[in-house]
Amino acid sequence: MTLAVRVIPCLDVDAGRVVKGVNFRGLRDAGDPVELAARYGADGADELTFLDVTASSGGRDTMIDVVRAAAEQIFIPLTVGGGVRTPEDVDQLLRAGADKCGVNTAAIARPEVIPEIARRFGNQVLVLSIDARRVTDDTPEGTARAGSGFEVTTHGGRRGTGIDAIAWIREVTDRGAGEILLNSMDADGTKDGFDLELIGLAREATNLPLIASGGAGAPEHFAPAVRAGADAVLAASVFHFGQMTITEVKQALAAEGITVR
């Protein structure tokens, strides 16, 4: 059976508002997250992703309120990430109404948190978020240079880790992640299309569901990402600012013979 490809809007939330920039810089206000969540739910989104981009303790309190309010408005799965460091953080978000939690920096700092969360809540709850960028001549020496050509980054792509992105995908798969959210930092916000090479390499490295993120600029950009190996496609600003709709994306996918919900 062919599973339907999921179309997922992503809302980057800062102090209770949705923001968006290019390569995580030049952030501008994109609206109220609860209102946008309700709109996307009505427009046919298959899931929603909230990312707390400040994730301070104050931001965490704000985010809990946003998650609780949004969960009352929508009837599709909600993933929440940003500042999720411990099983207790996951517990708090699930109680507020999240269905899944995204973990990124905390897993890089302490990979043991992956099996801790998976054992307590089930691996279907754990979305491992990876911000990957291409290794260039300017990239400091590290394991990435000799590996796939892609490096794991933190801090919105501004800080390299020296960890090879594809090797990291294999490791988090083995440790118990339930899903991979793969964001191309090079393509993020550019609207030039997804990084198909990165998606293809990731697909070869894991059998987990793979969400492709970064670079969507037109409805025709989504089908190539699915053909490269994505099980779901995620976008942000193009939805928030009305450049395309969920329906248009699904129509473009269906026109290419790809099953959608």
Side-chain angles (χ1 to χ4, degrees), residues 218-223 246-258:
E220 58 266 25
H221 286 159
F222 292 84
I246 305 287
T247 299
E248 287 170 343
V249 171
K250 290 192 172 186
Q251 288 173 341
L253 288 167
E256 294 291 326
I258 294 167

Side-chain angles (χ1 to χ4, degrees), residues 51-64:
L51 294 180
D52 182 351
V53 297
T54 46
S56 64
S57 56
R60 167 63 60 221
D61 293 339
T62 300
M63 197 63 173
I64 291 291

Side-chain angles (χ1 to χ4, degrees), residues 205-219:
T206 184
N207 59 0
L208 293 178
L210 184 64
I211 306 168
S213 170

Side-chain angles (χ1 to χ4, degrees), residues 5-28:
V5 169
R6 291 167 288 149
V7 179
I8 306 174
C10 179
L11 289 75
D12 296 321
V13 181
D14 181 7
R17 299 291 292 179
V18 176
V19 296
K20 192 59 191 170
V22 177
N23 302 124
F24 282 59
R25 294 175 174 83
L27 298 179
R28 58 178 173 148

Side-chain angles (χ1 to χ4, degrees), residues 11 13 16-18 29-38 40 50 66 69:
L11 289 75
V13 181
R17 299 291 292 179
V18 176
D29 190 285
D32 176 81
V34 179
E35 291 177 5
L36 280 171
Y40 290 138
F50 280 1
V66 169

